[in-house]
Amino acid sequence: VSFDAIDSALHSLKNCQSCINSGMDVATQVALDLVESFNDEKDVNNMEKVMFEFAKMDRELNHYIKAFEETINQVKREKPENLPDLEKLAHEKFLEMESMISDSDLERNEKYMYFKDQLKEMKKQYNGNDTIEQIDEDLAVTRSQMNFICPITQVTMKKPVRNKVCGHIYEEDAILEMIQTQKQKKKKVRCPKMGCSHVDVKGSDLVRDEILKRLIDSHEKQ
């Protein structure tokens, strides 16, 4: 197998990974819809199993990609007189990685952990015997409408994202624009939430807050 053939294979693997990530996004939305619609717990559990399988496939693809990339780098670095069997070397590296896996590895999968976090929060909001209308009324009382206001734009958020470091929430486009602007000035971004001491907000620290988005949408429909 030539370097070009492996490059082509890597490109295909990364495309597969993109499809898996899209599938995980869809599965997350479906699971949250099921909880919100008070569907049978069995249906929700099935979606959890689907996400678990997605996460395992993503991990396996990561290992394939890493094995091939490490093999290519090693051969290029050593420059052997005769080109070895790249596919065989990569497969051996892959098997070595797979032999050391455990389910705890899946906790490094951001989409899988996001799914578990959001599903847990959704169950807290919607499990019980109350109707959706009663829950919405309770939420309107217990959650101040100010929670829906972005500290940057001062208007109700459309796409809220939560900062994993300090826990504060902003409008996605607004905080990303702020990060980009400060980056061009080679400056860090202080969390725009008044009183917060976090002084280095990064795009990689932001995660979508699907629960809050649904609460905002529900509030605006009333």
Side-chain angles (χ1 to χ4, degrees):
V1 179
S2 66
F3 287 124
D4 287 342
I6 287 188
D7 283 339
S8 176
L10 283 173
H11 181 70
S12 297
L13 288 174
K14 288 174 181 177
N15 282 339
C16 289
Q17 201 167 34
S18 178
C19 292
I20 288 175
N21 286 333
S22 296
M24 294 178 89
D25 288 338
V26 172
T28 299
Q29 294 299 322
V30 170
L32 296 180
D33 286 342
L34 290 172
V35 176
E36 191 173 4
S37 303
F38 298 97
N39 277 56
D40 193 285
E41 184 70 18
K42 183 179 178 181
D43 293 333
V44 179
N45 290 339
N46 284 337
M47 292 311 302
E48 291 187 63
K49 291 176 183 176
V50 168
M51 281 297 288
F52 183 73
E53 291 303 317
F54 269 135
K56 288 203 298 183
M57 284 192 289
D58 185 65
R59 178 181 60 192
E60 186 173 332
L61 268 178
N62 278 330
H63 285 168
Y64 263 121
I65 291 170
K66 187 176 180 181
F68 275 110
E69 288 178 339
E70 286 186 0
T71 298
I72 290 174
N73 291 334
Q74 179 183 339
V75 171
K76 287 182 177 179
R77 188 171 57 250
E78 295 175 355
K79 298 179 181 177
E81 188 174 328
N82 296 313
L83 191 65
D85 187 333
L86 299 176
E87 187 174 5
K88 181 181 177 182
L89 287 176
H91 188 63
E92 288 172 354
K93 281 185 182 291
F94 168 75
L95 291 178
E96 183 182 346
M97 292 176 190
E98 286 288 291
S99 69
M100 296 185 288
I101 64 173
S102 71
D103 287 345
S104 63
D105 297 337
L106 300 181
E107 293 181 5
R108 290 197 291 268
N109 186 304
E110 283 200 13
K111 284 187 180 292
Y112 182 58
M113 297 311 294
Y114 172 79
F115 167 85
K116 292 182 71 173
D117 177 60
Q118 292 286 286
L119 189 61
K120 180 181 177 183
E121 288 301 313
M122 198 68 160
K123 284 180 177 180
K124 281 183 186 177
Q125 299 291 355
Y126 288 94
N127 277 358
N129 298 318
D130 293 336
T131 64
I132 292 178
E133 289 77 13
Q134 287 172 320
I135 289 173
D136 286 341
E137 282 181 20
D138 291 341
L139 289 171
V141 174
T142 59
R143 280 187 174 239
S144 164
Q145 190 176 350
M146 286 304 293
N147 287 353
F148 300 161
I149 303 298
C150 171
I152 304 169
T153 64
Q154 294 301 310
V155 297
T156 301
M157 292 177 279
K158 301 294 183 184
K159 296 186 292 182
V161 290
R162 176 167 41 85
N163 190 324
K164 292 186 291 185
V165 178
C166 63
H168 292 127
I169 300 169
Y170 335 100
E171 178 64 53
E172 183 178 27
D173 292 342
I175 188 65
L176 290 179
E177 182 180 348
M178 180 180 285
I179 291 172
Q180 183 60 32
T181 299
Q182 292 299 88
K183 184 179 180 181
Q184 290 172 352
K185 298 177 182 177
K186 296 183 179 179
K187 293 183 179 180
K188 294 179 179 180
V189 175
R190 172 183 282 275
C191 174
K193 184 72 173 179
M194 187 176 294
C196 183
S197 59
H198 183 44
V199 295
D200 190 12
V201 179
K202 299 174 182 175
S204 58
D205 292 331
L206 305 175
V207 292
R208 287 177 293 116
D209 194 319
E210 182 64 29
I211 307 302
L212 182 58
K213 182 181 184 305
R214 287 169 183 250
L215 291 173
I216 292 171
D217 291 344
S218 174
H219 179 81
E220 293 193 336
K221 286 176 184 176
Q222 293 177 4

